[in-house]
Structures are given as structure tokens and as C-alpha cells.
Amino acid sequence: MILVTGASGYFGAAAIHTLLENGISASQIKALVRTPVAAKRWQHLGIEITVGDYDDYASLTKAFAGVSKVLFVSSSDLGNRLSQHRNVVLAAKEAGVAHLIYTSFQRTTESTASPLWGVAESHLQTERWIEESGIPFTFLRNNLYLDFLPAFIGTEVLQTGVIFVPTGQGRISAVLRSEMAEAAAKICITSGHDGKAYSFSHTESVSYETIAHHLAALSGKTVVYVSPDVDVYAKTLADFGVPSESIGIFSSFALAQAGGELDAPTTDLTTILGRPLTPILEYITKIYFPARG
């Protein structure tokens, strides 16, 4: 039995679809959701639904009972993620889970000085807890989701003609979330992954300057890349009404990109998928020029 946490979210749902597409019977899949309402999308397929919450230890031990593998999708609740992840690991240990596949965080540094330390710290600690638990594990260290890249480029970039983000000369190796989820599911149903840590980055890296040139060439318009001071960037976002918490996250990821922390091409993901990844500029074309993508 394979249990997928966060089954109502994009990553978990995509992983479940991959399991089904690869011949795993619905009766061998268990979907963890937080509310009964979130279970409706799976009920007609015959997938077992279990309601549980990372904050509710008892619900997790109940959910994990009789499960051999758990695809542990990390919490998006940054403020409570450490305690939530601790619950998951302890509950998996108590339930006798045989393999824990955890969606962690790709990094080129583990320094507290990293702009992404606030994000990375809980992942590092979770990995340590899993290792200490003795549960056979696989760590999926995910780079930035390529799906989030338009938030940095700007949805109106073809109208404004400017990519305005403080990433300097940094390059990114972002990957589509769907491709990461597909690979996670394949790890759940194949052998040889115990004790492994995979870096789920793209095989290529691209700069924002290259993206600006690409958009300009496709649109026939002028598109330039401007890398402002981070304080100017933060004030600009605030002037547009962006919440302070979101500004902090965007700024941290921008500075990390400027420092080369998300420029880490690997072949881990394409090897597991058995095919090339969607090229970064191809995805950009699809988003901004859907008729051509």
C-alpha cells in the first residue's frame, strides 16, 4: 500500500495520477487529505481516503497503519512546518512504515547566511529526523518549481517591457512541478532508491537576461532585464499591494538566485523519468505565447 500525503494539492494529485497511469491498482493507493470535502476527487476511482492533518499526530498514526510506503509531501505552512514534520516522522515510525519518500529542498549551501535559510532549515532538520528514525528513506531535493517562474518575470512583462527582479547574473535550474511529482511516484514503484538523495534540478540553467532576450525575440517588442537593489524591489512590491510575508519570500528567493543557489543542473530527474525535461524557454513560450507553445 502506497500512501500519498497532500493528496488534494497539486504535487500529491499529480503523483497519484502517475501511480494509476503506471498500473498501480487504486486499491493499493491511499490518499491523505485534511478534510472530507477534499476527498471527493478520488472517491470515484476507488482510492482509499484517509482524513488526517500534520498537526494531529493521532490522525497520522491511524492513516499510516498498514502502509508500506509514504510519499511525504512537505508542508507549505512555514511557521509550523517543523512541528508538523516531526509528527509525520514519528507517526511513520510508530506505524512501521517501510519506506519514506520525502520532498525536501535542493541546495548548494547549508549555511545559516543563505537567504533561503528560513525555508531550508526545516527541510534539513526533517532529513535528520528521518535518518535518525531508522526508516528506509529517499530524499527528493527539489529546486524551484518552474511553474513559479512567471511570478518573478511578471505576468504583464510583454506590456511593461521589463523583468524587474534582484537576481543579478544568477541562473536558475527550475523544473516543472508535474515532472517532479511524476518522478516521485516512479520512485514509489521501483527499487534501488533506499538511502538515496536525488537533486531534482533541471539539466540546464537559464538567466533572466536570456529569458528577456527570448521574450523580445518572440514578441518583436523590447524586453529588458533590470536587477534592482533588493530594498527597491521590496518597496516596489509593497507599492503594488503585495503582502509583506510574500515580499519576504520573493526577496529571499531572488537573492538566492543572485547568489547562484538555484543554479545546480543535474541529470537525476531526467534519469528517473527516462526522458528529457521540458526546456525552460519552451515553458516560458507556452505561458506567454500559448498559441505557439
Side-chain angles (χ1 to χ4, degrees):
M1 176 72 75
I2 300 170
L3 181 143
V4 178
T5 74
S8 58
Y10 186 98
F11 195 102
I16 289 176
H17 284 301
T18 298
L19 292 174
L20 293 170
E21 290 164 2
N22 280 267
I24 301 302
S25 169
S27 64
Q28 292 301 307
I29 301 172
K30 201 172 185 180
L32 178 69
V33 296
R34 284 188 293 180
T35 66
V37 173
K40 291 181 178 179
R41 69 186 300 176
W42 303 118
Q43 288 174 333
H44 72 286
L45 296 174
I47 291 173
E48 182 179 348
I49 308 299
T50 183
V51 177
D53 193 296
Y54 287 175
D55 289 312
D56 183 349
Y57 182 81
S59 73
L60 295 174
T61 56
K62 181 179 179 181
F64 295 163
V67 170
S68 58
K69 295 185 180 183
V70 171
L71 174 53
F72 172 15
V73 180
S74 58
S75 169
S76 60
D77 183 355
L78 297 182
N80 296 298
R81 185 155 64 185
L82 269 173
S83 62
Q84 291 175 343
H85 284 192
R86 182 66 167 162
N87 283 341
V88 174
V89 176
L90 291 175
K93 176 69 172 179
E94 182 177 334
V97 169
H99 189 183
L100 200 55
I101 299 101
Y102 171 59
T103 62
S104 189
F105 183 70
Q106 186 275 335
R107 64 264 186 184
T108 55
T109 177
E110 295 185 358
S111 169
T112 57
S114 166
L116 292 179
W117 179 248
V119 175
E121 181 181 15
S122 57
H123 286 297
L124 294 173
Q125 181 59 63
T126 301
E127 287 189 12
R128 285 193 289 268
W129 282 332
I130 292 172
E131 290 174 332
E132 292 166 359
S133 75
I135 303 171
F137 64 85
T138 305
F139 296 147
L140 313 181
R141 293 173 177 165
N142 296 342
N143 201 301
L144 179 70
Y145 292 153
L146 185 52
D147 317 57
F148 293 171
L149 190 56
F152 291 97
I153 298 171
T155 56
E156 304 296 324
V157 64
L158 297 180
Q159 287 71 45
T160 64
V162 178
I163 296 176
F164 186 80
V165 59
T167 50
Q169 298 303 307
R171 300 165 67 88
I172 55 171
S173 305
V175 180
L176 282 176
R177 183 169 35 174
S178 60
E179 293 179 328
M180 292 181 180
E182 180 184 345
K186 290 192 171 183
I187 285 172
C188 289
I189 58 177
T190 55
S191 60
H193 305 292
D194 286 12
K196 299 287 184 64
Y198 295 112
S199 183
F200 278 4
S201 290
H202 214 293
T203 52
E204 63 177 356
S205 58
V206 175
S207 69
Y208 283 89
E209 186 172 11
T210 297
I211 293 172
H213 288 321
H214 180 70
L215 291 173
L218 288 174
S219 66
K221 301 177 180 180
T222 298
V223 179
V224 298
Y225 164 55
V226 175
S227 180
D229 181 85
V230 69
D231 292 335
V232 173
Y233 175 70
K235 184 179 184 304
T236 301
L237 293 184
D239 290 344
F240 277 97
V242 178
S244 59
E245 183 178 355
S246 297
I247 292 173
I249 292 173
F250 275 111
S251 298
S252 294
F253 271 92
L255 290 175
Q257 291 174 73
E261 292 190 35
L262 300 180
D263 180 9
T266 73
T267 59
D268 287 0
L269 187 54
T270 190
T271 298
I272 290 169
L273 293 177
R275 57 174 171 76
L277 303 176
T278 300
I280 295 174
L281 294 183
E282 180 181 310
Y283 172 74
I284 295 300
T285 300
K286 180 179 179 180
I287 293 300
Y288 292 96
F289 306 92
R292 305 187 198 186

